[in-house]
Amino acid sequence: MEQRAGKPDDTFAELGLAALLPKDAIEELLSAALSRGGDFAEVYIQRSKSTSIPLEERKIRSAEMRVGQGVGIRVLSGEKTGYAYSDRLDMGSLLESARTAAYIAAGPSVERPVNVTAQLAPDYYTVRVDPASYPVAEKISLVKRANKAAYAYDHRIKQVDVSFSDIEREIIVANSDGLWIGDLQTMVRIRVSCLAAQKGISRTGSYGGGGRIGMEWFDRVSPEDVAREAARVAVVQLDAVPAPAGCMPVVIKNAWGGVLLHEAVGHGLEADFIRKGMSIYTGRVGEKVAADVCTLVDDGTVPNARGTINIDDEGTPGQRNVLVENGVLKGYMTDRLNGKLLGLPLTGNGRRQSYHDYPIPRMTCFFMEAGDSDPEEIVKSVDRGVYAAYFSGGQVDITNGNFTFSITEGYLIENGKLTAPIRGATLVGNGPDILTKITMVGSDRALDPGIGDCGKAGQAVPTTVGMPTVKVSEMTVGGTATE
Amino acid sequence: MDYQQLAQDVVSAAMRAGADEAEVYLQTGDEFDVNVRLGEVETLTQAGAKGLGLRVFVDKRMAFASTTDFDGDVINDMVKTTVQLARSASRDRYNGLPDPGSGPGRPGPVPHLDLYDRTIADLTTAEKIEMARESEAAAFEFDRRITNSYGASFSNSSGMSIIANSNGILYTNSSTRCGIGCAPLAEEDGSKEVGSYGSVRRFLRQLESPESVGREAAGRAVRKLGARKVETQKVPVVFEWSVAPILWGAVFSALDGDNIHRGMSFLKKKLNKRVGSHLVTLIDDPLMPSGIGSMPFDGEGVLTRCKVVVDEGILKMHFYDARTARKYGAQPTGNARRGYSGIPSVGPTNFYLRQTDVSPEEIIRGISNGFYVTETMGHGVSVVTGDFSVGASGMWIKDGELAYPVHEVTIAGNMLDMMQNVEQVANDAKFMSLVVSPTFKITEMTVSGR
């Protein structure tokens, strides 16, 4: 697979693809998968290799390495999906999986030869320093540097956990439409969590970063930068007061704030919920669903972002899709099954966690485009409210649009100024409702630092969120301090 | 392939390659899952999987590797690399397998916990599909306002875990699991709500009927219709059994000895002190026959036992694995949990709040103005600070009755206060997850809404 992308030579492409499973074997499997009828068959091959290095209490707790491989075979027949997978790559086991998946079509036995042709994927994540061949001792040194910087930040930092991980995931997708394509996906990630303590009070802060990139990520952001940010949040929290309870204006800081839109809108635009009529956004393309200032994009092509994909897990190239433009709903995020059933184009959002799972529509890098307000002016415009800087993740109920997310760093806004840090706050709202209450959009659009995963139907996939600083005119803040 | 032999061979190979101690955790399993939607099969998945995790200690330094490929050359390479890798980790004198000899790591008889249902294998695919269909059909029949569905599912799995280590431990455990789930959608006057319910058991005969799962799910969807927001206020809050484990799951993490001693727990320095009302008795019982979380031995090969963790409000113990037990002068509690692809960490087995003989209806009858929570959302629970703030929906209690549905609010409080304000505990625990709780009432929490 080394010759994968960026080299416009079909022979090279085919050599890389065939290394895991030769062309004739793939074609035989696809034929076997269609042996009971079926509209479409797909073979998904995955091989992965990862390293992780956790540090706790100033010690490298362990050095860890994981390898895995497997094949998933899918057959579509109308709205039905048959799926089987195996971690054995011998032809006997694979043919058995193909026949198991074929069962869904339940028709009489048919012969359907399949021919696949190698294709090249685009390349949105060049890797300069391959983590797989980078010395373990050097990775350990990055982890230790982060640990040292966190303790050095403030004497009140009492505990530091650091973890580094890298993964190299190789995927190959072939289907009965003749597609045969592959991708090599490399990711690095570092996380630091700190505990600050003073006078019997303990608070935490965490931060991290990474992307679909090699070890050169650390040329952009040092382990010390990551550690100091985690330590800063923990120390700030020592002075935190209980968060207020009730409805009030909320200013959401750029970058991580995109979690808000990921939950409030993003999931509701995934085509499986649309096809089943389960999403509140079903049948609303062309309608005004948000304030004029809102333009929302899912972009699988952002260079080296964690959520970016050269191809999705069905072999469709990553794309930039404008979903809401100036408040008007433009489209949905599709996978093959739901795109076909809805008569919509493929958008490159068919993703899966591993060969254990069939693909479903998922976000890649989902963000809001910049507006023209000065972020400082946005804060100044609020008399009394909450400023939310970092979040620990959120959740949404697609059917009614209600969502929630938790603030890990936030402040009171009093008379246009940030005052006391707050703790223990969750924000709740309703997606369609919040979209009409976004009254100011900042000029400072940014993406999160690259450590996020999104969970849906038990599958976690790497995603990126992003946003400029925005003001929501009214939102429920779930603290304990009532007036 | 003889997997017990393979596990032992890999342990021996690691010792030959220079490990001081070695341990293999090997898993194999099969799974089946069918989802039916609007009466038709929508997805059907069938597969088998396996994996092996190797943990080695060299000079009290630890390394770990896992693979799904059992090819001889792949495993030989992995063994050598892992022993090499260990040299780069830090030396920690507390590292190592559970102490052998007369210690907690000594081999012993593995109790039979009745975790494997042989009859599941006799079910045909058609019968499984039919159960999912019946469940969804029952949901549609329950109420005319059920207009759509995410589908209903039947799933079953079987698995085997083997642990072998260089102290002579070789244990095997096999188990099954089956489940029916249903998620219908109710619709009325532009309000759309989904309700979901599932039954999960180790034995088919213990599973709730497809019809009752469907009806329960439909009831949950219908009662959410027309939900509204309420004013911000402090009121009694009742956690229905389905959401009640959220509190006890956080309490379990707070009682991980490592978190306690590192100052990362809101329950630190509370051993043998009052942490809850007299109604709070928490038990961790890995030996419960046919329990979903039952396991005769833990992920490090320590034979497990039942523990009273909080006794009528008094904290009695913390949880430890082999390393943290040595470090803090305690005994491993048999709570090391893991899959083949991870190193063991402390986790619940069947961890539950002891129930009483009060019915949930009686609890509701005693409240004039309060919130009955049936769903929570989000991650606003901090084991370090004890802060608790989550999104919630459910029913408003007015004059002892469930009056109307409520959504888009949060409930917040401090977990230590919550434990001490557990005022009533009901009799309706369902043992379908690792953390289990009957419905309970907290005297007062902040509900934030309009």
Side-chain angles (χ1 to χ4, degrees):
Chain A
M1 277 292 291
E2 286 72 22
Q3 296 85 359
R4 178 189 47 84
K7 294 193 177 145
D9 184 315
D10 289 351
T11 324
F12 269 151
E14 188 164 325
L15 275 174
L17 292 171
L20 272 174
L21 208 57
K23 187 174 190 288
D24 54 352
I26 285 182
E27 290 172 343
E28 189 183 344
L29 286 176
L30 288 168
S31 288
L34 291 177
S35 62
R36 303 287 302 272
D39 310 325
F40 174 86
E42 174 191 79
V43 172
Y44 174 84
I45 309 166
Q46 182 204 318
R47 194 156 65 170
S48 64
K49 186 163 68 178
S50 66
T51 317
S52 53
I53 298 166
L55 174 147
E56 287 171 20
E57 298 182 278
R58 303 173 196 264
K59 288 193 165 80
I60 302 295
R61 191 71 191 87
S62 60
E64 303 172 13
M65 178 182 84
R66 292 170 178 83
V67 294
Q69 59 176 24
V71 174
I73 298 178
R74 177 167 70 140
V75 175
L76 300 182
S77 173
E79 296 193 22
K80 299 192 187 96
T81 300
Y83 196 71
Y85 63 85
S86 172
D87 51 33
R88 287 162 219 240
L89 296 191
D90 63 283
M91 213 44 198
S93 306
L94 293 174
L95 279 168
E96 195 189 319
S97 294
R99 291 191 201 105
T100 305
Y103 175 85
I104 197 79
S109 191
V110 288
E111 282 268 326
R112 235 185 92 181
V114 175
N115 291 300
V116 297
T117 312
Q119 292 176 32
L120 281 173
D123 189 5
Y124 303 119
Y125 26 84
T126 320
V127 170
R128 281 201 290 109
V129 186
D130 179 18
S133 50
Y134 196 76
V136 173
E138 300 285 319
K139 294 175 186 171
I140 286 176
S141 137
L142 294 170
V143 168
K144 288 184 169 168
R145 278 169 57 194
N147 178 60
K148 198 173 166 193
Y151 277 112
Y153 178 83
D154 192 292
H155 68 280
R156 290 168 289 180
I157 297 295
K158 303 296 183 196
Q159 294 285 346
V160 178
D161 285 6
V162 184
S163 70
F164 166 86
S165 63
D166 62 74
I167 182 165
E168 184 186 278
R169 185 172 180 262
E170 193 177 344
I171 63 166
I172 291 170
V173 185
N175 69 33
S176 56
D177 294 345
L179 178 71
W180 188 26
I181 195 165
D183 190 24
L184 183 67
Q185 305 171 335
T186 300
M187 290 193 287
V188 299
R189 172 157 79 166
I190 187 168
R191 275 175 189 274
V192 180
S193 307
C194 294
L195 180 94
Q198 182 181 32
K199 296 177 198 149
I201 292 173
S202 299
R203 300 287 181 253
T204 53
S206 65
Y207 193 72
R212 287 203 197 262
I213 190 169
M215 300 305 293
E216 69 272 20
W217 184 81
F218 291 96
D219 299 340
R220 300 185 194 170
V221 184
S222 73
E224 286 84 0
D225 294 338
V226 173
R228 282 190 286 259
E229 184 62 359
R232 183 191 65 76
V233 175
V235 169
V236 162
Q237 293 294 313
L238 286 172
D239 298 319
V241 299
C247 241
M248 61 198 75
V250 177
V251 176
I252 297 167
K253 186 178 190 282
N254 66 352
W256 265 125
V259 174
L260 169 84
L261 299 164
H262 174 103
E263 302 296 349
V265 199
H267 281 297
L269 302 180
E270 292 167 344
D272 48 348
F273 297 125
I274 299 297
R275 172 174 67 87
K276 297 175 187 177
M278 308 301 282
S279 165
I280 30 169
Y281 295 105
T282 304
R284 298 189 59 191
V285 170
E287 286 179 30
K288 192 94 190 315
V289 296
D292 291 345
V293 284
C294 294
T295 292
L296 304 177
V297 179
D298 184 79
D299 189 350
T301 74
V302 180
N304 296 109
R306 186 172 164 83
T308 293
I309 43 174
N310 287 332
I311 54 170
D312 69 9
D313 296 305
E314 302 181 312
T316 308
Q319 293 172 31
R320 180 186 156 89
N321 301 292
V322 177
L323 300 167
V324 174
E325 192 168 27
N326 301 324
V328 176
L329 181 59
K330 291 290 178 186
Y332 304 119
M333 291 172 273
T334 63
D335 62 345
R336 279 179 194 275
L337 172 73
N338 292 292
K340 187 181 169 203
L341 293 172
L342 287 167
L344 295 174
L346 292 176
T347 56
N349 291 92
R351 304 183 66 191
R352 57 182 128 196
Q353 179 174 323
S354 81
Y355 63 89
H356 287 233
D357 312 289
Y358 49 82
I360 49 176
R362 303 299 295 267
M363 285 172 261
T364 61
C365 305
F366 187 84
F367 54 82
M368 175 186 258
E369 290 289 22
D372 48 17
S373 298
D374 176 348
E376 285 181 26
E377 292 299 323
I378 296 178
V379 174
K380 276 186 197 162
S381 75
V382 176
D383 278 345
R384 181 181 172 272
V386 158
Y387 180 80
Y390 285 153
F391 306 91
S392 65
Q395 199 181 334
V396 64
D397 180 335
I398 295 299
T399 309
N400 58 26
N402 292 339
F403 67 90
T404 165
F405 61 119
S406 304
I407 301 177
T408 52
E409 186 191 8
Y411 299 85
L412 291 176
I413 307 177
E414 290 168 302
N415 303 319
K417 290 200 180 78
L418 301 191
T419 58
I422 55 170
R423 64 189 182 92
T426 290
L427 298 177
V428 290
N430 178 271
D433 180 47
I434 286 296
L435 284 185
T436 62
K437 289 179 175 163
I438 294 180
T439 50
M440 293 176 86
V441 177
S443 54
D444 57 345
R445 195 208 84 182
L447 301 181
D448 79 72
I451 58 163
D453 279 334
C454 163
K456 172 178 167 185
Q459 298 192 46
V461 297
T463 51
T464 295
V465 297
M467 195 166 74
T469 296
V470 304
K471 175 178 165 183
V472 181
S473 60
E474 194 185 65
M475 205 169 175
T476 298
V477 179
T480 53
T482 47
E483 283 180 306
Chain B
M1 190 181 257
D2 181 345
Y3 289 128
Q4 285 199 343
Q5 191 60 51
L6 175 67
Q8 288 179 300
D9 289 349
V10 176
V11 168
S12 303
M15 297 301 280
R16 281 198 305 275
D20 299 328
E21 295 179 281
E23 169 202 79
V24 165
Y25 193 80
L26 189 154
Q27 286 178 300
T28 66
D30 292 293
E31 66 154 306
F32 174 93
D33 182 83
V34 64
N35 194 59
V36 165
R37 181 169 176 265
L38 306 178
E40 297 291 328
V41 172
E42 185 172 63
T43 59
L44 192 149
T45 302
Q46 194 159 12
K50 62 182 186 342
L52 178 155
L54 167 68
R55 205 158 60 116
V56 303
F57 298 93
V58 180
D59 185 29
K60 297 285 176 191
R61 300 164 198 267
M62 181 167 84
F64 172 82
S66 72
T67 179
T68 58
D69 188 348
F70 288 3
D71 175 81
D73 291 341
V74 170
I75 290 192
N76 283 336
D77 274 359
M78 182 182 94
V79 167
K80 287 191 196 105
T81 315
T82 315
V83 171
Q84 274 302 316
L85 207 53
R87 298 180 205 281
S88 54
S90 302
R91 192 169 187 282
D92 181 342
R93 63 195 174 102
Y94 305 109
N95 266 340
L97 298 175
D99 295 331
S102 60
R106 69 185 176 279
V110 174
H112 178 72
L113 300 181
D114 216 11
L115 305 176
Y116 197 95
D117 182 357
R118 281 166 212 291
T119 69
I120 297 176
D122 300 335
L123 281 178
T124 63
T125 299
E127 286 169 324
K128 296 174 186 178
I129 293 171
E130 194 47 35
M131 281 193 268
R133 267 204 189 110
E134 283 169 14
S135 180
E136 195 192 41
F140 274 99
E141 276 160 30
F142 180 82
D143 194 294
R144 56 170 184 80
R145 290 169 292 177
I146 300 294
T147 56
N148 198 344
S149 165
Y150 271 98
S153 64
F154 178 90
S155 59
N156 68 277
S157 61
S158 68
M160 179 173 70
S161 312
I162 298 169
I163 187 165
N165 74 21
S166 54
N167 292 333
I169 281 198
L170 177 65
Y171 297 149
T172 301
N173 182 42
S174 293
S175 59
T176 52
R177 179 189 274 260
C178 52
I180 298 174
C182 187
L185 182 140
E187 196 171 356
E188 185 176 44
D189 301 334
S191 165
K192 277 190 192 180
E193 297 288 351
V194 66
S196 62
Y197 183 71
S199 176
V200 184
R201 298 285 172 173
R202 295 219 176 266
F203 282 75
L204 204 52
R205 62 167 188 273
Q206 297 167 331
L207 210 54
E208 289 171 54
S209 74
E211 293 79 7
S212 70
V213 168
R215 282 193 299 265
E216 176 70 23
R220 286 176 172 266
V222 169
R223 76 175 176 190
K224 287 166 73 179
L225 285 169
R228 52 181 122 150
K229 240 167 143 161
V230 291
E231 296 289 336
T232 300
Q233 55 193 295
K234 293 193 177 187
V235 288
V237 172
V238 178
F239 286 75
E240 188 193 54
W241 66 270
S242 61
V243 294
I246 189 174
L247 176 59
W248 311 121
V251 167
F252 186 96
S253 301
L255 293 177
D256 178 337
D258 204 35
N259 286 336
I260 293 273
H261 293 282
R262 294 181 69 194
M264 299 164 78
S265 167
F266 75 96
L267 291 173
K268 67 185 176 199
K269 297 177 183 164
K270 293 273 190 266
L271 197 60
N272 296 317
K273 291 186 180 152
R274 178 160 292 282
V275 294
S277 77
H278 67 284
L279 285 171
V280 178
T281 291
L282 292 166
I283 293 162
D284 184 64
D285 184 6
L287 302 176
M288 186 179 284
S290 70
I292 280 290
S294 296
M295 51 184 202
F297 52 87
D298 80 354
E300 294 185 302
V302 172
L303 293 170
T304 59
R305 60 194 161 89
C306 178
K307 289 120 0 205
V308 177
V309 182
V310 174
D311 189 5
E312 298 187 350
I314 309 297
L315 178 60
K316 292 296 183 188
M317 61 171 289
H318 303 140
F319 297 100
Y320 296 98
D321 61 16
R323 180 183 70 93
T324 57
R326 269 192 290 264
K327 183 165 182 174
Y328 301 113
Q331 288 295 310
T333 56
N335 285 87
R337 294 204 73 115
R338 67 186 299 184
Y340 74 85
S341 66
I343 58 175
S345 63
V346 161
T349 65
N350 298 296
F351 183 61
Y352 64 94
L353 176 69
R354 194 171 65 190
Q355 62 182 33
T356 70
D357 51 9
V358 177
S359 71
E361 293 76 21
E362 270 177 84
I363 295 178
I364 292 162
R365 267 203 296 277
I367 297 173
S368 59
N369 185 48
F371 186 24
Y372 181 75
V373 181
T374 59
E375 288 178 34
T376 59
M377 273 179 117
H379 313 273
V381 179
S382 169
V383 168
V384 174
T385 63
D387 287 335
F388 181 99
S389 171
V390 298
S393 55
M395 304 292 293
W396 201 256
I397 306 171
K398 205 81 208 162
D399 302 325
E401 284 183 13
L402 299 180
Y404 53 86
V406 169
H407 71 172
E408 239 189 294
V409 300
T410 66
I411 46 175
N414 177 277
M415 289 191 279
L416 197 54
D417 294 339
M418 288 166 71
M419 290 169 75
Q420 284 168 345
N421 291 319
V422 171
E423 194 182 303
Q424 278 178 300
V425 173
N427 59 358
D428 56 349
K430 293 199 188 203
F431 285 84
M432 300 200 295
S433 50
L434 303 187
V435 182
V436 171
S437 175
T439 297
F440 62 84
K441 174 189 173 188
I442 306 267
T443 310
E444 187 179 84
M445 288 183 76
T446 305
V447 175
S448 184
R450 276 188 284 126

